[in-house]
Amino acid sequence: MTSKILNLRRLMRVEGDSDEVLEFSSGVNVIVGEPNTGKSSWLRMLDYLFGDPGTIEDALGDELANKYARAQAELAIDGKPMVIERRWKEKGAKGKVFVDGTAMPAGDFSAFFLEALNIPVVYIPKGNPYSQNTWPELSWRTLLRHIYRHEGSWSELALKQPDADQFAVFSQFIGSAPAIFSLAYAKLVDSQKREARLAAQKENFEATLNDVARELVYVQEATAGFTRDSLASATAQLQADIASQEAQREAAVQGLRRAAESRASAENEQKAAEFEKLGRELDAARARRSELQVAVDKGHERVVELSAHLKSTKEELGKLERARAAGAVLGPLHVTHCPVCDRSINRKAAAPGTCYLCHQPQESRAEEPAATTARLDFEMQQLKEEATELQELLSKTQADLDLERRKIRDVEDDNSRLERMLQPVRTAAAWILPPELGLTAHETGRLQERLRQFQRIESALLRRETLAQQLDDLRKEIAQLESQVVEKEAEPDFTSLGDQVADAMTDYLNALDAEDRSIWEARRVSVNVSKNSMQFLVDGRPWSRKLGANLRAYFFLAYHYAWLKLSRTEPFTYPGFALLDFPANLSDFTISDQENYLLTPFVKLLSKPELRGTQLIASGRAFADLPGAQHISLTKKWR
């Protein structure tokens, strides 16, 4: 499916209440005029209207940006009208494009306009497709550099555009971009990047796990690395060792219990009961200490809060007291000198009921000072009462806090007393307990900690298995995407598409040679295209090495001619629209009314019924007598 045909009908720029308008038609349009009549500025303004995300000053220069407030283009896309507008002096509209009156960010215009032209949106890699960078959209602005040749871009196919971008644009125009840069291919590359990251993550995880695990524990069955089986075997052995230690401890405790029972007496039972009672009292005292500490902390926070509130209230009261004192001093003062001429004022000269300074009627204000003073007194009284209440509340809260702190000291004294009473019993118990019991408890604790480490390692192994499963799922997805990409890549016939472009360029160059064989001298143009690159050749050599300034200009004209000719041919997706801004100086390549043959092939081409609606707009100093073209003459010089 070809793209829709773009056509410019009207271009307008507005300065205040006046506007300047250029009218265009299908076919060839030439904007002619002497230097400095603004030919190029009109095309630059159209370029800015086509979604330029930069500033208006960068696009047009300060002079034009300041002179005009907005610009508008009336377009037709396959005959359907569309109006695009930029309003750089309107607040909040500088970075927006207005489409049929609806604003959108300039950055969003590209996707919208490509859809309107029926040009598929594709995403292209920048440099290495497997780098970490995301694939950017092949934007309308990138395509426009092959549609609009401004006056400074007659030495390169597209000025300062990377070869990868040029290939992407070429692929788009020949209709192969969706296959080369297919969504499946983009997904495939993204999945392959994720696979590489996940595989590296799994490998690093395994290496780190083994290194850290060896530092933590030594397992005879896992000298080469930890596995689920080796860890299960080591865990079972540890659990058996713990059970053995606990059995030894229980046997020792039972032996002590039997020995104690054989020596039991009424006195020992009384001491045991006393020991148990002291232990309960100590536990209760410690719990009480914790509760009191919570109450003290809350009381302290309340004291700080009330102190801050009281301070703020006193400061506000002080401000009102100073304001009242100042009013009492400054209120009775009168203006004695005119603030304009500084001459003294005669208050007696004023009529009753008028201002003695400006002599305007004045309402009585006799009661105003008293009312103002009353309001201040009321506010001050309110603040004084509030400060008194706060002070009383603060004093009570502080007293409660001091009481809680005394209770804490009392409880701490009880704790110390109970600790001293229990100390002899603990010392005696330590002498009674055999050392083997302590060693058994220590070994049991060591084995339990080692078991917890094994459990943490087991969790890490589960994480490794999860990574392995994710990696396996991703590789299955990659296999499916690879089969889709292979199917897509088989579609375009790159040789045929390249030959069609080369033949169309040759048609233009043949037309030049028909006028004068010394112009191009029958040099052979060919285009080599593959799924990875494209190359323009002249007599079998890269065009940039073969052609000088004049020949390059002919070559670029042939390039634009080819796209216009193929814009209605399947599967090409060129929008049938071109802008050519001929430079003022291009070596010996001069334009005059005797050299209309440069555009005559375009006139003949675009007049064909199958290319109806396509359009070329060219600007230059001459072409005034070009037959079959619409002429737009500019006469007013800027400077």
Side-chain angles (χ1 to χ4, degrees), residues 58 188 242 272 284 411 453 484 499 549 608 635:
D58 290 340
L188 172 62
I242 291 172
V411 172
Q453 291 172 350
Q484 295 178 23
D499 288 345
K608 294 181 178 181
T635 57

Side-chain angles (χ1 to χ4, degrees), residues 451-469:
L451 180 60
R452 285 191 289 271
Q453 291 172 350
F454 279 10
Q455 291 169 344
R456 288 191 285 269
I457 294 172
E458 183 179 13
S459 299
L461 288 175
L462 290 174
R463 169 61 178 159
R464 183 185 67 178
E465 292 176 2
T466 301
L467 289 174
Q469 183 61 48

Side-chain angles (χ1 to χ4, degrees), residues 361-381:
Q362 183 181 23
E363 295 180 2
S364 174
R365 296 187 179 181
E367 298 179 358
E368 185 173 300
T372 303
T373 302
R375 283 197 299 272
L376 284 174
D377 289 343
F378 175 75
E379 294 292 338
M380 289 166 58
Q381 182 61 31

Side-chain angles (χ1 to χ4, degrees), residues 478-492:
I478 288 172
Q480 294 176 351
L481 289 171
E482 284 176 338
S483 63
Q484 295 178 23
V485 169
V486 170
E487 294 175 3
K488 290 288 185 181
E489 288 180 346
E491 292 179 2

